[in-house]
Amino acid sequence: MSKPLDQLRRCSVAVDVGSARTRVHIKDAGLVVDEPSVVAVNTFSGALIAVGTAAERMDGRTPGHIRVVRPVSNGTVIDIEMAQRMLRALVGSSVRRAWRRRGAMQRAAVTIPHNADPLARSAAVETLTGVGAKQVELVDTPTAAGVGCGLPVEQPEATMILVCGATTTQIAVLSLGAIVSATTVPMGGDTIHHAVVQHLRNHHELILPSQAVRPLHLALTGAGEGQTTEVWGRDVATGMARTVCIDPDDVRAAIQAPLIGLSDAIRSVLHNCPPDLVADLADRGMVLAGGSALLPGLDERLRTGTGMPVHIADQPSLSAVNGLAAMVEGQVVPLNVDVH
């Protein structure tokens, strides 16, 4: 990783474009953008109506001529033009002018999923070059998040990180600045959300608005045994608003399948690691990063399912961009090995 680190130190912009949020860090200026990866567009004129938080508030509430677009899916840019327009709007013209004056956008670093294919890598590069970058360095998200969590990723010892995103979770074991074993599971915060929504639709014939799902997430903790939670939504048959009382045990059963799949994926990653590295992880355990790491009770579920210690990063949602920023700022020191 020493050569990439030398290249990253020449960058002045660190960008983490995620399915849920986009974050931009500028060297010597800090985090300047932390907004939802959402764009609202007028379908008649093609003009941008809103970006970021303002656009996210419009989701599900727009008339027919306004379309809410999410240009990033599973950590990969799927709509390059919209991603470029979103970045330009989020960053703002004044900051872009400052970049050009300082030459900051000559080089930029961006996170990508560890298993990104050539098309996804090309999309990330094209997105950044479209907003002014002359050269783009790609860093896999688990490594960046590991650095951001303060893990000794450059050392000859194992560190395990789970980057829990909106739609996927990347599981990786790192050693000597590289990924030893990794996989990606289609399980994230949105997966839990959709599982709860589908359960309510199938078993109670109720369609829930987004804000009504949040109290049910507490069912993950196992708290409130014997208690029910009242939620309101729209009746599937009549279209009228009504409330129902939900047993938390039913919600836990609805989300059991994706959580079991996550535990199985962790075991698979460990199975592909050398025994010495697995021994390192027996006491150290794993670290949860990413916005969905804060799902209530997720750490306890994984602790029970794997038998390993589980820790949540101090700022899990910022782990990737903080780690990338540390590389850009030159705060990561590669391991020096003396050869005689």
Side-chain angles (χ1 to χ4, degrees):
M1 191 173 171
S2 58
K3 182 178 179 181
L5 277 177
D6 290 339
Q7 296 171 355
L8 288 170
R9 290 192 186 101
R10 300 190 187 102
C11 298
S12 295
V13 180
V15 183
D16 177 28
V17 183
S19 303
R21 299 186 75 86
T22 292
R23 299 176 174 94
V24 179
H25 172 100
I26 300 179
K27 183 181 286 187
D28 300 327
L31 191 68
V32 297
V33 173
D34 185 1
E35 291 279 344
S37 303
V38 189
V39 182
V41 184
N42 187 317
T43 57
F44 293 153
S45 65
L48 288 185
I49 302 296
V51 295
T53 302
E56 187 176 52
R57 291 179 60 190
M58 296 180 182
D59 197 9
R61 301 170 182 268
T62 61
H65 69 284
I66 296 178
R67 183 167 62 102
V68 175
V69 180
R70 296 180 181 270
V72 184
S73 178
N74 297 333
T76 301
V77 176
I78 58 174
D79 190 331
I80 295 174
E81 180 185 357
M82 283 298 175
Q84 291 173 346
R85 297 177 70 181
M86 178 185 72
L87 275 175
R88 290 192 196 102
L90 289 176
V91 168
S93 58
S94 60
V95 176
R96 287 202 307 274
R97 285 195 296 270
W99 287 356
R100 294 191 182 98
R101 285 196 301 269
R102 298 167 52 192
M105 279 300 285
Q106 294 298 312
R107 289 175 177 263
V110 61
T111 57
I112 56 169
H114 75 91
N115 58 349
D117 57 29
L119 190 61
R121 290 172 175 268
S122 176
V125 171
E126 189 174 343
T127 298
L128 269 294
T129 54
V131 294
K134 303 302 181 184
Q135 186 169 338
V136 179
E137 304 291 345
L138 304 178
V139 179
D140 61 85
T141 302
T143 300
V147 173
C149 293
L151 299 177
V153 299
E154 289 294 323
Q155 300 302 313
E157 54 190 70
T159 56
M160 188 173 195
I161 187 162
L162 275 67
V163 185
C164 308
T167 55
T168 61
T169 295
Q170 299 180 62
I171 308 166
V173 174
L174 309 170
S175 180
L176 288 171
I179 292 177
V180 178
S181 177
T183 191
T184 298
V185 183
M187 201 294 290
D190 289 352
T191 311
I192 300 297
H193 178 95
H194 293 151
V196 173
V197 169
Q198 197 61 39
H199 171 78
L200 268 292
R201 185 185 182 101
N202 293 340
H203 293 83
H204 298 275
E205 297 184 343
L206 197 71
I207 300 176
L208 296 184
S210 298
Q211 64 269 25
V213 181
R214 301 185 191 280
L216 295 177
H217 286 175
L218 296 177
L220 274 168
T221 63
E225 295 288 346
Q227 300 179 5
T228 59
T229 301
E230 186 178 84
V231 296
W232 65 272
R234 190 183 72 196
D235 189 278
V236 172
T238 67
M240 301 296 290
R242 68 180 174 91
T243 60
V244 296
C245 291
I246 307 300
D247 187 343
D249 288 337
D250 293 339
V251 179
R252 283 191 285 272
I255 62 178
Q256 190 67 18
L259 292 177
I260 291 176
L262 182 58
S263 296
D264 290 343
I266 293 171
R267 295 189 191 97
S268 176
V269 168
L270 293 173
H271 181 74
N272 294 325
C273 283
D276 288 345
L277 293 184
V278 176
D280 289 344
L281 297 172
D283 295 328
R284 181 173 298 158
M286 69 189 81
V287 176
L288 304 186
S292 296
L294 295 175
L295 277 172
L298 177 60
D299 56 335
E300 185 58 38
R301 287 281 181 128
L302 292 177
R303 194 175 292 115
T304 302
T306 64
M308 295 175 62
V310 181
H311 314 281
I312 301 177
D314 290 338
Q315 294 180 301
S317 60
L318 298 178
S319 296
V321 71
N322 284 346
L324 195 58
M327 297 178 192
V328 167
E329 300 277 2
Q331 298 172 4
V332 180
V333 180
L335 178 68
N336 292 319
V337 179
D338 293 329
V339 180
H340 299 285

